[in-house]
Amino acid sequence: MLDDRAKTLLKALVERYIADGQPVGSRTLSRASGLDLSPATIRNVMADLEELGLIASPHTSAGRIPTARGYRLFVDTMLTARPIDLQTVAPELAAAREQLHPDQPQRVIAQAASLLSNLSSFVGVVSAPRKAGLIHHIEFLRLGERRVLVILVAPDGDVQNRVIFTARDYTQAELIEATNFLNAHYTGLAIEEVRERLKHEVDALRGEIAQLMQAAVQAGEELAGRSENVVVSGEHNLLGVQDLGHDMVGLRRLFDVFEQKTELMRLLDVSSRAEGVRIYIGGESQVVPFEELSVVTAPYEVDGRIVGTLGVIGPTRMAYDRMIRIVDITARLVGNALSSR
């Protein structure tokens, strides 16, 4: 627990360090905080903050810098985000409306990632909208002994094929019977609905139909998940961040994350379940392998339904209030661009 004096000094220290990137000494902190305290008193408070793991002394410098834990406390309890009105946003963000073309959804996603990168000077990431994962048609074809081809068609015509190996051999007549049953009872439903129904109905289904349905659900999940790609923009910006330049091994790991995108997709998927802007500091995301990096994310909605997430990846020494505004407003602009008129 910190008293008001300690909170004021920590807030002033974090804001000063974010502004100029230099360790903050007691004299600078005295001026920045506006408190009438002696240098000795300030040094004592800083020692207490350091003991709590909220600030640290780099090398032999007399000044202090915030730790990831210090940033966390600052963001959670000391940062006041101003209300955002899309009608009166800053000119740099207002101009973004014209860059997002609602008739080209994939272009909207790419432009949003670029916009986030340009406005933040860091890395912009956007997950493309998920498909609804609806089943339009299911079909099973016998390929050979105990080998069956599952064909699953989405409403937009996209097709997913999957070969499964069954416990026993099925005739084509049996497969046609299963096809007719499943199309009569499960088409038009989302994959999630089918999965939930199967939990309760699987015992009532004949064994072969249950097995084939499980295979169809898995194929459907792959069909829906295939579009969940992540667009990344501005990775090169991190090469110029002073706080990161000394750790080339970590940077290589980070660029692997950007290239593979699987871990980023997992992070953005988790963030989509949160309300509003979410901030991960110093490795809290367990995806970005850097204590010196933070991730600011927000979900975006299309026609009232959350379909994706976007965000900024940058150094822990970032202007969080500005990043929150950039991410929040971009999420709203993307949602507006993609929603029905």
Side-chain angles (χ1 to χ4, degrees), residues 175-233:
L175 294 177
I176 290 174
E177 181 186 355
T179 295
N180 293 337
F181 175 84
L182 296 176
N183 281 317
H185 292 84
Y186 292 97
T187 54
L189 299 178
I191 294 297
E192 295 78 6
E193 294 178 83
V194 174
R195 192 192 309 112
E196 286 302 312
R197 280 185 55 174
L198 280 177
K199 288 180 181 177
H200 305 290
E201 298 175 4
V202 70
D203 291 335
L205 297 174
R206 291 218 315 266
E208 63 271 17
I209 292 180
Q211 181 189 15
L212 294 172
M213 194 63 222
Q214 297 280 11
V217 167
Q218 189 168 354
E221 289 172 338
E222 292 177 4
L223 180 65
R226 200 162 63 188
S227 66
E228 293 184 357
N229 61 309
V230 179
V231 179
V232 182
S233 178

Side-chain angles (χ1 to χ4, degrees), residues 63-115:
R64 301 292 189 275
I65 63 174
T67 63
R69 187 176 180 183
Y71 279 119
R72 179 81 270 165
L73 185 62
F74 170 77
V75 167
D76 288 347
T77 66
M78 304 172 190
L79 190 64
T80 304
R82 290 169 291 173
I84 296 174
D85 182 357
L86 285 180
Q87 304 303 318
T88 59
V89 296
E92 61 182 354
L93 284 164
R97 299 175 195 270
E98 307 305 320
Q99 299 180 36
L100 302 177
H101 301 273
D103 57 326
Q104 303 176 44
Q106 196 57 40
R107 189 176 175 188
V108 169
I109 301 305
Q111 290 170 329
S114 178
L115 180 66

Side-chain angles (χ1 to χ4, degrees), residues 59-311:
H59 310 302
T60 58
S61 171
R64 301 292 189 275
I65 63 174
T67 63
R69 187 176 180 183
Y71 279 119
R72 179 81 270 165
L73 185 62
F74 170 77
V75 167
D76 288 347
T77 66
M78 304 172 190
L79 190 64
T80 304
R82 290 169 291 173
I84 296 174
D85 182 357
L86 285 180
Q87 304 303 318
T88 59
V89 296
E92 61 182 354
L93 284 164
R97 299 175 195 270
E98 307 305 320
Q99 299 180 36
L100 302 177
H101 301 273
D103 57 326
Q104 303 176 44
Q106 196 57 40
R107 189 176 175 188
V108 169
I109 301 305
Q111 290 170 329
S114 178
L115 180 66
L116 287 165
S117 174
N118 292 337
L119 292 175
S120 67
S121 298
F122 303 133
V123 181
V125 293
V126 184
S127 65
R130 302 181 191 87
K131 289 187 177 181
L134 297 177
I135 296 177
H136 177 67
H137 180 75
I138 303 169
E139 191 167 345
F140 300 102
L141 293 176
R142 185 179 186 275
L143 296 179
E145 187 175 355
R146 294 193 296 179
R147 290 173 65 240
V148 174
L149 177 66
V150 181
I151 303 172
L152 192 142
V153 184
D156 62 1
D158 201 358
V159 178
Q160 176 76 19
N161 297 321
R162 182 182 180 87
V163 177
I164 63 169
F165 296 87
T166 57
R168 72 169 181 87
D169 193 23
Y170 293 103
T171 66
Q172 187 57 41
E174 289 175 313
L175 294 177
I176 290 174
E177 181 186 355
T179 295
N180 293 337
F181 175 84
L182 296 176
N183 281 317
H185 292 84
Y186 292 97
T187 54
L189 299 178
I191 294 297
E192 295 78 6
E193 294 178 83
V194 174
R195 192 192 309 112
E196 286 302 312
R197 280 185 55 174
L198 280 177
K199 288 180 181 177
H200 305 290
E201 298 175 4
V202 70
D203 291 335
L205 297 174
R206 291 218 315 266
E208 63 271 17
I209 292 180
Q211 181 189 15
L212 294 172
M213 194 63 222
Q214 297 280 11
V217 167
Q218 189 168 354
E221 289 172 338
E222 292 177 4
L223 180 65
R226 200 162 63 188
S227 66
E228 293 184 357
N229 61 309
V230 179
V231 179
V232 182
S233 178
E235 303 97 311
H236 62 279
N237 288 334
L238 295 183
L239 296 175
V241 175
Q242 180 181 354
D243 301 353
L244 308 177
H246 65 281
D247 189 355
M248 294 309 297
V249 173
L251 274 176
R252 279 195 292 270
R253 288 172 56 207
L254 182 61
F255 275 76
D256 285 343
V257 170
F258 292 148
E259 185 174 350
Q260 298 298 326
K261 296 185 180 179
T262 304
E263 294 296 322
L264 272 182
M265 190 68 236
R266 186 174 298 123
L267 169 62
L268 295 176
D269 184 57
V270 170
S271 300
S272 71
R273 301 178 202 135
E275 291 187 12
V277 176
R278 189 166 182 176
I279 301 173
Y280 303 89
I281 297 175
E284 287 177 341
S285 69
Q286 298 181 346
V287 169
V288 177
F290 252 110
E291 283 299 313
E292 296 86 357
L293 279 179
S294 289
V295 185
V296 182
T297 67
Y300 63 90
E301 298 182 355
V302 173
D303 297 325
R305 185 173 68 91
I306 292 177
V307 298
T309 312
L310 53 76

